[in-house]
Amino acid sequence: MADFKKSVVYQIYPKSFYDSNGDGLGDLKGITRKLDYIRSLGADYIWMTPFFVSPQKDNGYDVEDYYNIDPRYGTMEDFEELSREADRRGIRLMLDMVFNHTSDRNQWFRKALAGDPEYKDFYIFRKGKGPGIPPTNWESKFGGSAWEYVEAFDEYYLHLFDVSQPDLNWENPRVRAEVQKVLRFWMDKGVKGFRFDVVNLISKASFEDDFEGDGRRFYTDGPRVHEYLRELNEATFGTDSEIITVGEMSSTTLENCFGYAGEDSHELSMVFSFHHLKVDFMGNEKWVMVPFDFQKLKNILYTWQTEMANHRAWNAVFWCNHDQPRVVSRFGNEGKYWKESAKMLATVIHCLRGTPYIYQGEELGMTNAHFTSIDQYRDVESLNHFRILQEKGLTEENAYQILQIHSRDNSRTPMQWTDGPEAGFTGGTPWIQVNENHDRINAEAELADEDSIFHYYRRLIELRKTYDVIAYGDLEPLDIHHPSVMAYKRNWQQEKLLVVCNFYGKELTWQAGEDVAEYSCILGNYPQQQRDGGSIRLRPYECMVLYRKG
């Protein structure tokens, strides 16, 4: 059985990872060529965002054909080679499955639009409330109405995301059977992990106007979602104890996640939740400029850590992915303390209770892109909101400042392999511009430097495999209200771990509340830790991992 508690997952956005043929797009052969790099880091699984046939309106999260590889990424033979070569290195593959919606070019939706009643019931069509008035006032997560009018039917279809991404109707058992069929196909190819995109949105509660928000309370963690996941588990991945699963849970609740990822709930291995990544939002509004709320960040992380443990449920722990800005730009310091803050942020996540996920380039300390022209952006959400922000009265300069902070393109710039042309990502013209700082932030330089962020991540992964307290221990928050420090204890049998992290650029003395002389420092981002009795002197962005047995 896969021990996902001791495992680490490395996430790849194939389009931006490595281009093997010079067309400017990363591909499957590119991943195969870089497997030794991932093995040297120590990751156990590679999660790849979708590479299925897709018109790429939402970078592959609009799937046209679940059974075939998009030619821009390669062929099925390329996938099978990647699978074999990964297996040879002890690495398993995790595929990203998008089952809340399809592309509007999927054959199911094409048949629906052609009037086939069987396939029309694969999606959610509703009559409007009147001429030109959609069934509800729900907003798409990408801006605008969540409903699109189809004149031939005088009906609207639901799309919680882009207009080209119609939502599937999970109430229809035929839809659920087709989804199961897709999973079994990839299981037969040797896939040992699945990540399910926005899977807690698959059960819609009721179709009514939302006068309090954007509609999400009527489709998030819906009434049959647990039933659907148990059914999916029993029919597919639950039949193979080596398969691990993770659900992306949009705007979810703790209580639902006890079920999604409970030890005995027979749904998923673990969940992604995003509440801790909204601490630089204003309410649920992402497209604003506000400093992150450190106290709120700690409160959310600690609540999820302790409550999930109390209910024997498991978290996926992470800062970064293809939908989030770079963490060192977001909660760290890109300038003077770039290396120290990147290592500190890594320490926070990798010592928590949960399976850590590393997003490509995070282990190098890659930063936000700081694009200054809308022509440099590619993401549909960013392009929409650049327009929406200006319609709301913001200047173009302010709109750019917000995109530079929050755009998903910040995480999608090409992987920085070398200081050479296009960061060694491609021999051609990359699909999105390479970050200009690749001359100093790149894999080649960091592999050669034992003090690099890359080698620090490698040591964090080794610690998880070496010390059971990191994989299995409970978590006890310490000094919760300290304005600059995040500290917590992990306890497992006779092992104790004390993790102390300074989130800011000022030196301070922190009181541990116990004599820390009996602890040995097994990892830190500065040489020679400064400890005296119960006092720990922390330099800017300093972190330390202290351990004792007995």
Side-chain angles (χ1 to χ4, degrees):
M1 184 170 178
D3 187 356
F4 53 82
K5 295 183 178 181
K6 278 213 175 253
S7 296
V8 173
V9 182
Y10 187 85
Q11 185 197 347
I12 287 176
Y13 192 68
K15 195 173 183 179
S16 297
F17 190 62
Y18 186 69
D19 172 20
S20 72
N21 61 5
D23 66 357
L25 293 170
D27 45 47
L28 294 178
K29 277 186 178 294
I31 299 171
T32 303
R33 289 189 191 174
K34 296 297 185 180
L35 284 171
D36 286 337
Y37 169 83
I38 297 164
R39 182 174 63 173
S40 71
L41 184 63
D44 305 280
Y45 288 83
I46 295 171
W47 154 31
M48 294 168 288
T49 56
F51 47 74
F52 311 112
V53 174
S54 165
Q56 298 289 319
K57 294 282 180 66
D58 186 22
N59 282 287
Y61 284 88
D62 46 328
V63 179
E64 182 177 337
D65 180 352
Y66 291 103
Y67 295 100
N68 283 294
I69 311 293
D70 195 301
R72 73 193 77 199
Y73 294 122
T75 64
M76 189 61 80
E77 289 71 30
D78 294 338
F79 174 80
E80 288 164 352
E81 180 194 19
L82 170 59
S83 182
R84 282 194 306 273
E85 290 299 316
D87 190 57
R88 225 163 50 79
R89 292 163 175 81
I91 299 170
R92 292 175 167 188
L93 301 184
M94 173 184 278
L95 299 197
D96 203 328
M97 309 311 293
V98 189
F99 290 145
N100 175 69
H101 47 264
T102 69
S103 164
D104 59 1
R105 284 170 46 175
N106 189 289
Q107 62 167 336
W108 303 338
F109 194 69
R110 290 185 184 199
K111 288 176 180 177
L113 288 186
D116 184 329
E118 183 181 342
Y119 284 95
K120 196 169 170 230
D121 195 37
F122 269 46
Y123 297 90
I124 298 169
F125 284 88
R126 290 288 185 278
K127 287 288 184 189
K129 288 187 296 190
I133 305 171
T136 72
N137 65 351
W138 298 358
E139 293 173 28
S140 157
K141 290 178 182 287
F142 289 171
S145 172
W147 297 94
E148 179 70 5
Y149 184 63
V150 179
E151 191 174 356
F153 304 145
D154 187 29
E155 287 180 329
Y156 293 77
Y157 67 83
L158 180 69
H159 61 93
L160 295 181
F161 294 87
D162 190 63
V163 66
S164 66
Q165 295 167 290
D167 278 51
L168 284 166
N169 174 22
W170 275 69
E171 294 281 326
N172 181 349
R174 276 216 56 202
V175 168
R176 305 201 299 276
E178 287 294 334
V179 163
Q180 293 165 17
K181 193 173 146 192
V182 170
L183 288 182
R184 283 193 290 268
F185 174 85
W186 290 104
M187 286 167 61
D188 289 344
K189 295 273 181 196
V191 171
K192 293 296 182 186
F194 294 105
R195 181 260 192 191
F196 295 104
D197 184 63
V198 294
V199 74
N200 65 319
L201 308 186
I202 58 177
S203 171
K204 279 66 174 177
S206 61
F207 296 94
E208 56 187 281
D209 283 334
D210 188 351
F211 298 110
E212 297 173 24
D214 58 8
R216 72 184 63 196
R217 63 198 179 98
F218 293 115
Y219 58 74
T220 302
D221 300 321
R224 297 186 67 189
V225 64
H226 294 285
E227 172 197 338
Y228 293 155
L229 286 175
R230 280 192 295 273
E231 179 184 75
L232 196 61
N233 178 316
E234 287 161 16
T236 59
F237 54 82
T239 63
D240 183 345
S241 63
E242 291 191 345
I243 291 178
I244 70 168
T245 54
V246 58
E248 180 195 27
M249 301 300 170
S250 173
S251 304
T252 191
T253 65
L254 254 172
E255 292 71 23
N256 275 291
C257 288
F258 302 155
Y260 294 138
E263 272 182 30
D264 302 316
S265 60
H266 304 291
E267 294 183 34
L268 303 170
S269 309
M270 64 192 96
V271 290
F272 286 119
S273 66
F274 296 89
H275 297 72
H276 67 297
L277 295 175
K278 295 181 179 178
V279 296
D280 53 359
F281 288 20
M282 195 174 287
N284 265 324
E285 177 52 47
K286 164 179 169 176
W287 301 96
V288 292
M289 279 191 294
V290 294
F292 83 95
D293 186 331
F294 178 53
Q295 189 59 54
K296 190 175 178 184
L297 178 69
K298 287 198 289 185
N299 292 346
I300 291 168
L301 285 173
Y302 287 150
T303 299
W304 278 78
Q305 285 283 298
T306 53
E307 288 299 308
M308 289 288 276
N310 289 343
H311 290 84
R312 296 169 64 230
W314 197 249
N315 286 302
V317 289
F318 70 104
W319 289 127
C320 299
N321 63 32
H322 61 289
D323 284 335
Q324 300 293 332
R326 293 289 182 177
V327 70
V328 72
S329 301
R330 190 175 193 177
F331 302 143
N333 180 309
E334 281 188 9
K336 185 177 179 182
Y337 299 112
W338 163 70
K339 186 184 281 190
E340 292 82 359
S341 64
K343 291 179 179 180
M344 180 276 292
L345 289 163
T347 303
V348 169
I349 287 297
H350 282 254
C351 293
L352 289 175
R353 178 185 181 273
T355 299
Y357 283 66
I358 299 167
Y359 177 65
Q360 64 183 48
E362 180 186 345
E363 76 282 7
L364 304 176
M366 279 178 62
T367 71
N368 281 356
H370 303 295
F371 289 152
T372 55
S373 166
I374 198 63
D375 297 339
Q376 295 170 292
Y377 286 92
R378 299 288 179 268
D379 177 36
V380 60
E381 183 189 39
S382 300
L383 298 174
N384 285 349
H385 277 89
F386 185 68
R387 173 182 50 78
I388 291 166
L389 287 167
Q390 290 175 83
E391 287 171 359
K392 287 180 176 177
L394 270 73
T395 64
E396 190 174 281
E397 183 185 1
N398 286 149
Y400 276 127
Q401 287 174 329
I402 291 172
L403 258 62
Q404 287 165 4
I405 295 167
H406 290 296
S407 172
R408 301 191 301 182
D409 281 335
N410 284 308
S411 59
R412 297 175 181 183
T413 58
M415 181 74 171
Q416 293 164 210
W417 294 105
T418 71
D419 63 2
E422 309 302 354
F425 162 71
T426 180
T429 302
W431 72 277
I432 188 172
Q433 191 174 313
V434 169
N435 195 318
E436 290 178 359
N437 64 19
H438 72 274
D439 59 336
R440 63 181 180 86
I441 302 176
N442 63 76
E444 188 174 60
E446 296 206 25
L447 283 165
D449 174 12
E450 277 299 318
D451 188 45
S452 69
I453 296 166
F454 174 89
H455 284 293
Y456 192 89
Y457 268 83
R458 191 175 55 75
R459 287 191 282 274
L460 277 168
I461 293 170
E462 283 175 3
L463 290 185
R464 173 166 291 269
K465 297 181 191 315
T466 304
Y467 295 94
D468 285 351
V469 65
I470 298 177
Y472 308 122
D474 61 16
L475 184 137
E476 176 191 346
L478 301 173
D479 205 356
I480 293 172
H481 299 293
H482 195 288
S484 303
V485 172
M486 181 168 184
Y488 55 85
K489 257 186 175 170
R490 304 288 310 279
N491 302 288
W492 174 253
Q493 296 176 353
Q494 298 302 304
E495 294 184 272
K496 291 192 185 305
L497 200 76
L498 175 60
V499 182
V500 187
C501 298
N502 179 4
F503 259 76
Y504 292 93
K506 289 184 178 173
E507 218 170 292
L508 59 93
T509 300
W510 182 72
Q511 301 300 327
E514 64 173 312
D515 188 347
V516 293
E518 294 179 18
Y519 286 83
S520 58
C521 184
I522 56 174
L523 192 63
N525 62 350
Y526 278 84
Q528 290 90 43
Q529 284 70 32
Q530 300 172 4
R531 294 182 276 155
D532 181 19
S535 295
I536 297 177
R537 189 75 184 154
L538 292 169
R539 287 156 284 192
Y541 295 98
E542 182 164 12
C543 64
M544 56 185 77
V545 182
L546 306 175
Y547 173 83
R548 76 179 174 91
K549 197 161 186 177

